[in-house]
Amino acid sequence: MTATTGSRAAEHEGRGPGSVRPGGVLSAMCLALALVTASMSALNLALPELAVDLSASTTSLTWIVDGYAVALSGLVLPMGALGDRLGRRAVLVAGAVVFGAAALAASDASGTTALIAWRAVMGFGAAMIMPGTLSTITAVLPPDQRPKGVAVWSGCAAAGVVVGMLVSGALLEWFSWRAIFVAGAAAALGAAAAALLLAPETKDAHRRRFDIAGAVCTALAPGALVYALIEGNDGGWGRARVVAGLAVAVLAAVAQVLLGLRTAHPLLDPRLFRIPGFRAGAVTIAVQFMAVFGFYFVGLQYLQLILGYSPLKSALALVPVALVVVPTSQTTPHLVDRLGVRTVMISGLLLLGSGLVALSRLDAGSGYLAFLGGLVLAGFGIGTTGAVGASAITGSLSRDQQGVASAMNDVTREVGAAVGVALMGSVFGSHYRSALPDVSRLPAVAADAVRDSPAGGLYVAERAGPEGAVLASAVKGAFMAGMSAALSTVAVVLAVAVCCLVRVPKRSPRPE
């Protein structure tokens, strides 16, 4: 992104300097950010209901969750650049309108295809909302308050995920999954109003040519990769469309780098990755969100399908994450000052990976306490890595480059989330099907339901008479096999990321 939000480059319109209240700006931007992140997680609680109500397979469920994340990750950079040109608050408010309208349409969807499409439009609206949140905070807050503001922003991003699940869990106690989208539309209206009332308009004072080629590449690369991951594990990696998806993802990424090196003002300058702190922060945030959102995809189904929790009880079961993440993210800047960036980054990823490994060793009879132990351990890692990753990126660049820092925070989070859901959903689905016993003796419709999703399998088992208990046990065993494989896969990715961070300087040099 070519954004600059420093005092020399940003224009604050519509308010005098004395009328801007940093606390109000921080509250408004965190509310908008929470809307975006809450919508990434809220639907995970409804997956069992969607599997039965819309006859959705695991692949369809993955797309329903990931359609939003793919659109958000691919469009967040272009929409951020648009906000730099037209005004960040204006684009944020327009995005909230798009988000709310798409959410209302999704609440009336009658099939998986329509629901996936409207979720993608919601992701487009979220891509208009998200870039302006951090760049507005870093532009408005005084320099001495910026690290704390970034830490609050990071904590709200993580807390918004849990709040979204709590709200959706409560709604699912009395209403259907459609109520989640209606609530999302109402929240979008509130976020737009808060931005208009509390935040100033900021934009880049220097008009630059929009990087159209870079925008196309940044949209294609994550979308094609996610498509290949989902379809490859579902139907085989050798199919032409899967190979084509991988090829498009690689070519788009390479083109992004080559064109970025030749463009005067690219959306994201590849040269920035030569800065150790910037590069390390990007890796840390990407793998953290890959792990977190991939976990939510399978972990919430574990609580409902294996432990038998209601949606609300499942959401409450994850509250300890928020209780750990928020204070941890607040103390992380002090840990960085004492221990250095490298030590805190690596420690955070190791904590997160250890939590996932502990969760991967659960079985159908483990219960909640064992689940909670792994969850809390992962929570410490989430709070640490989110704050230190964001601070490493913003701290590696000058004040006039904070628009770029905001863009990188956004895109790495969303790409990581999209790839994490696709990777864990695909690994989970393939191992679940492989671990199932032979169900060919069941009626064809029932056998397909069992193979398509664990929720469908348990639905069939409830109506299978005396043999239902055996089938339910087999479905739960297959579910645990898929969950273990998925969590173990992401734990390996985290281990690779730790190895990449070993050579990062202990303390990132401050920019001039």
Side-chain angles (χ1 to χ4, degrees):
M1 188 187 296
T2 60
T4 55
T5 61
S7 58
R8 293 186 291 110
E11 298 176 354
H12 292 241
E13 299 181 346
R15 294 169 184 257
S19 66
V20 176
R21 297 182 178 180
V25 174
L26 187 61
S27 298
M29 294 303 100
C30 285
L31 176 60
L33 174 68
L35 169 68
V36 173
T37 58
S39 298
M40 294 182 68
S41 63
L43 210 57
N44 283 292
L45 280 168
L47 294 181
E49 183 179 340
L50 285 167
V52 175
D53 190 30
L54 299 181
S55 299
S57 66
T58 296
T59 298
S60 295
L61 294 175
T62 305
W63 274 119
I64 289 170
V65 173
D66 231 7
Y68 176 90
V70 169
L72 175 54
S73 64
L75 296 173
V76 67
L77 278 178
M79 292 301 102
L82 188 66
D84 294 338
R85 294 169 66 88
L86 303 180
R88 299 181 184 97
R89 186 183 65 179
V91 172
L92 186 154
V93 171
V97 172
V98 172
F99 183 102
L104 282 178
S107 70
D108 194 43
S110 58
T112 56
T113 301
L115 186 56
I116 292 168
W118 286 119
R119 281 278 290 173
V121 178
M122 289 175 66
F124 171 59
M128 298 173 70
I129 295 170
M130 191 170 190
T133 58
L134 183 57
S135 57
T136 298
I137 289 172
T138 55
V140 173
L141 264 61
D144 61 328
Q145 295 182 26
R146 194 196 306 165
K148 182 179 179 181
V150 172
V152 171
W153 183 90
S154 177
C156 287
V161 173
V162 177
V163 170
M165 288 187 288
L166 286 172
V167 172
S168 64
L171 290 172
L172 290 170
E173 288 291 307
W174 296 283
F175 307 103
S176 74
W177 56 268
R178 300 179 189 276
I180 297 174
F181 292 102
V182 176
L189 179 62
L196 287 171
L197 293 172
L198 300 174
E201 181 64 281
T202 64
K203 65 171 67 173
D204 188 355
H206 305 289
R207 303 277 292 185
R208 297 185 175 93
R209 184 177 180 180
F210 187 79
D211 183 12
I212 298 176
V216 172
C217 291
T218 56
L220 280 178
L225 177 59
V226 166
Y227 175 83
L229 287 173
I230 295 176
E231 297 297 326
N233 256 311
D234 183 51
W237 293 98
R239 291 187 300 169
R241 59 183 182 179
V242 175
V243 174
L246 289 172
V248 169
V250 172
L251 290 175
V254 172
Q256 171 70 33
V257 173
L258 296 178
L259 292 173
L261 293 174
R262 301 177 61 181
T263 304
H265 302 289
L267 281 177
L268 184 63
D269 191 346
R271 299 175 187 86
L272 293 174
F273 288 93
R274 297 173 183 171
I275 303 173
F278 186 90
R279 182 175 62 247
V283 169
T284 299
I285 290 176
V287 295
Q288 179 219 3
F289 270 66
M290 179 186 297
V292 169
F293 282 92
F295 162 75
Y296 285 136
F297 183 82
V298 296
L300 286 168
Q301 293 187 74
Y302 168 82
L303 291 171
Q304 293 182 77
L305 300 179
I306 305 301
L307 299 188
Y309 287 5
S310 67
L312 179 57
K313 188 176 181 180
S314 298
L316 291 172
L318 292 181
V319 167
V321 173
L323 298 178
V324 170
V325 167
V326 174
T328 301
S329 66
Q330 295 297 303
T331 59
T332 297
H334 303 290
L335 293 175
V336 171
D337 289 340
R338 297 190 62 178
L339 304 176
V341 171
R342 180 180 62 196
T343 301
V344 176
M345 275 186 178
I346 291 177
S347 299
L349 290 180
L350 288 175
L351 285 169
L352 178 54
S354 299
L356 294 183
V357 169
L359 291 168
S360 73
R361 299 177 65 85
L362 300 178
D363 56 44
S366 295
Y368 177 68
L369 287 180
F371 178 85
L372 179 62
L375 191 68
V376 170
L377 187 59
F380 282 111
I382 294 169
T384 302
T385 52
V388 73
S391 294
I393 292 174
T394 57
S396 297
L397 302 180
S398 67
R399 184 173 177 83
D400 287 347
Q401 294 177 298
Q402 288 306 301
V404 178
S406 172
M408 197 62 203
N409 269 290
D410 294 340
V411 75
T412 50
R413 288 168 184 267
E414 308 321 323
V415 169
V419 172
V421 172
L423 178 62
M424 291 188 71
S426 298
V427 172
F428 168 80
S430 63
H431 280 78
Y432 165 76
R433 289 188 295 272
S434 298
L436 282 173
D438 183 15
V439 294
S440 59
R441 290 180 295 178
L442 294 172
V445 175
D448 288 341
V450 173
R451 297 189 192 98
D452 282 345
S453 70
L458 293 177
Y459 181 82
V460 171
E462 290 177 0
R463 290 154 180 79
E467 297 181 355
V470 176
L471 177 60
S473 178
V475 169
K476 290 181 179 181
F479 177 96
M480 296 308 302
M483 176 173 160
S484 177
L487 292 172
S488 298
T489 299
V490 175
V492 171
V493 174
L494 291 172
V496 173
V498 168
C499 294
C500 295
L501 297 176
V502 169
R503 298 185 64 182
V504 172
K506 182 177 180 180
R507 299 186 185 276
S508 298
R510 303 296 296 182
E512 294 293 333

